[in-house]
Amino acid sequence: VVFEDQQLTYRELNSKANQLAHYLRKCGVGPEVLVGICVERSLEMIIGILGILKAGGAYVPLDPTYPKERLKFMLEDSQAAVLLTQGHLIANLFAPMVHVLHLDRDWPVISGGPSENPDHTAIPGNLIYVIYTSGSTGRPKGCCNSHRGVGNMIRWSQEAFQMSGADRMLQTASFSFDISAWEVFLALTSGATLILTKPGGHMDPCYLIDLIDSRRVTLVFFVPSMLSALLGEDGVQRCRSLRRVFCGGEALSSALQQRFFSRLEAELHNLYGPTEAAIFATHWQCQRQDCSVAVPIGRPVANTHIYVLDNALKPAPVGVTGELCIGGVQVARGYLNCPEITAEKFISDPFSRVAGSRLYRTGDRARYRADGAIEFLGRLDHQVKIRGFRIELGEIEAALGHNPAVREAVVIAGEGEPGDKRLVAYVVFRGQGKITESDLRSHLSKQLPDYMIPSAFVVLDALPLTPNGKVDRKSLPTLELGRPDLEDSFVAPRTPVEELVAGIWCEVLGLKKVGIHDNFFLVGGHSLLATQVVSRLRKTLQQEVPLRFLFESPTPAGLAMRITQSQAENADPEELARILDELEAPAKDSASAPGFREKDERYD
């Protein structure tokens, strides 16, 4: 395992995971015992996961970037017996009834235990992890998967892709998504090298290209939207070491497939599967000469059955659309503490002769092609996929409804530029009381992760209804992209760099104007659009602009300042004098700049 300038051999990794496993056994961890793990991407993340499994327990990944309220709910709902974390993250965790173990501070104690492999106690039917997904009821729900299901997926992947010790797998997915389990377990059970990106690095195409090139990565997984961003970078041709690139998490378009083959020589594989079916249920190897309108999701993986069923749960004929249902050993055990939803989504399998077999109803629309391949055609309900994130719109609507000023709320996935889906919330307030968009964002940010917070809010007097009284989503007014109602008043750019930054934001976000104090992530921006902004700045300025600059300074004024300071660090004396004059320009013009705050700490 390689992480930045650190690495572990298989012997070292096994020894550390064993020491942790023996310690966890003393804490009562064994089969069917859940252990929370909240760590940043690091060597400790891999040691922690393996240590939990070696102790016989099941891990519950907790993304440290999630809001406190969400982490609190996941810990309480899972009733985790132990929580593994790092010292600097504990402030964001509320775990009064949980045994907390710091993988950094407490390691001297943990490492005092035996380094030999502990006896196996878990069996194939036991839990391997519980991963929380967005829930239509307003709360995330924990999906319970077994060793049998995940083991089948890993074994199929080994045989299908012929992994070996010569391979180098890049681990990019957040460990709160099941794709991360596939990346980690497939690499480590194949003798390959597992290479971890730095925290936040999985969102920066330039960093990823450099890492793939320098570490000679041979296999990598991307959601299509991230793959598109990567292919948009000039340096992508340096990724010559890649043998296979895997895509999944959202629909892969034919246009993106063709772009891939025009820029890279690697194989491209399209993988499909929900968390409820142990990571991936179907596979399709894309063909360089394929000009089909849609890229299929392929055929079932080993020991998995795919059915396309009509409303009566009867097989739909070839070419006819129905609901995609999954059977076989990879079907999850159900949802933790949600017997009603489990009974609704996991039904008895009428096509199996094995007692107790079940089908998972995915809610996805699909059809069989004449050649036996399956085409994905969208959803039957209001679940959406945005940049690879699975989102139940009902959960966002419920969170908005918890605000006492909101009477009704509906959230949809709108599309600005082709392929750029954005969440839009339509809100009706109670009586005469109204709150600002910033208030709504603040309210949601305490309950939902960033990727579930709408890019725009539209206030209505009433929601449009169908004749039977349901919300008519198709009649909601079209969103006019413009500068939202922000607390900061509009201030025009004052320097050439601020003007450049604001202009690029307008192009990328589809806005008519952007003020220098406008926060990128409050005017419709998100991580992938951030990569577009930074890429355009790099090309225009002919200098390196790290993606973190935008995340750390998300206003045109702040970002322009970071860029100008970076220029100054590498400038000759004459150029430095010019840059210093430009840095002083805002202060000289402050009296005439409306809304400029002379004591603003953002300019310190």
Side-chain angles (χ1 to χ4, degrees), residues 253-506:
S253 69
S254 179
L256 183 56
Q257 174 183 259
Q258 295 308 313
R259 279 183 64 204
F260 175 89
F261 286 127
S262 70
R263 307 214 67 185
L264 292 173
E265 295 297 322
E267 294 177 3
L268 179 63
H269 296 261
N270 193 24
L271 298 165
Y272 161 86
T275 306
E276 290 84 350
I279 312 172
F280 301 122
T282 69
H283 162 256
W284 177 260
Q285 182 170 350
C286 301
Q287 301 301 314
R288 193 170 291 271
Q289 306 304 322
D290 183 14
C291 297
S292 303
V293 175
V295 179
I297 57 174
R299 297 179 174 85
V301 302
N303 302 312
T304 298
H305 311 293
I306 301 293
Y307 305 95
V308 177
L309 306 179
D310 61 19
N311 291 335
L313 297 181
K314 302 295 183 184
V318 171
V320 175
T321 301
E323 181 180 6
L324 191 153
C325 297
I326 303 173
V329 301
Q330 290 188 194
V331 175
R333 287 173 26 175
Y335 300 116
L336 188 67
N337 304 323
C338 297
E340 297 85 2
I341 303 177
T342 297
E344 175 189 344
K345 302 295 287 185
F346 295 85
I347 63 174
S348 177
D349 186 348
F351 311 106
S352 175
R353 295 181 180 179
V354 179
S357 295
R358 294 167 306 139
L359 284 181
Y360 171 64
R361 303 185 63 174
T362 66
D364 289 333
R365 296 167 58 245
R367 67 184 174 199
Y368 267 104
R369 300 195 319 189
D371 63 358
I374 304 162
E375 287 184 345
F376 171 79
L377 301 172
R379 291 289 300 177
L380 293 167
D381 56 18
H382 300 309
Q383 184 189 111
V384 297
K385 283 287 188 75
I386 296 183
R387 302 187 300 282
F389 295 110
R390 171 173 154 180
I391 300 170
E392 293 280 2
L393 298 178
E395 184 174 357
I396 308 173
E397 293 167 354
L400 281 168
H402 293 155
N403 190 305
V406 175
R407 189 178 77 200
E408 294 177 287
V410 170
V411 180
I412 66 169
E415 192 166 23
E417 296 296 320
D420 179 26
K421 286 185 178 179
R422 303 187 192 184
L423 294 173
V424 181
Y426 293 83
V427 179
V428 177
F429 290 116
R430 295 182 185 277
Q432 301 300 314
K434 290 188 178 182
I435 57 177
T436 66
E437 182 173 319
S438 296
D439 292 331
L440 289 174
R441 289 182 185 278
S442 177
H443 168 76
L444 291 179
S445 67
K446 296 174 182 177
Q447 305 172 63
L448 304 175
D450 290 344
Y451 64 85
M452 293 182 69
I453 297 177
S455 299
F457 294 80
V458 180
V459 178
L460 301 175
D461 292 329
L463 296 176
L465 303 177
T466 62
N468 61 6
K470 293 184 178 180
V471 175
D472 187 354
R473 293 172 180 265
K474 295 181 180 179
S475 297
L476 290 166
T478 303
L479 176 66
E480 293 291 335
L481 288 178
R483 184 176 183 270
D485 179 22
L486 301 176
E487 292 181 354
D488 287 326
S489 58
F490 174 80
V491 180
R494 304 154 301 173
T495 70
V497 181
E498 287 181 354
E499 190 171 352
L500 172 65
V501 172
I504 289 176
W505 285 23
C506 287

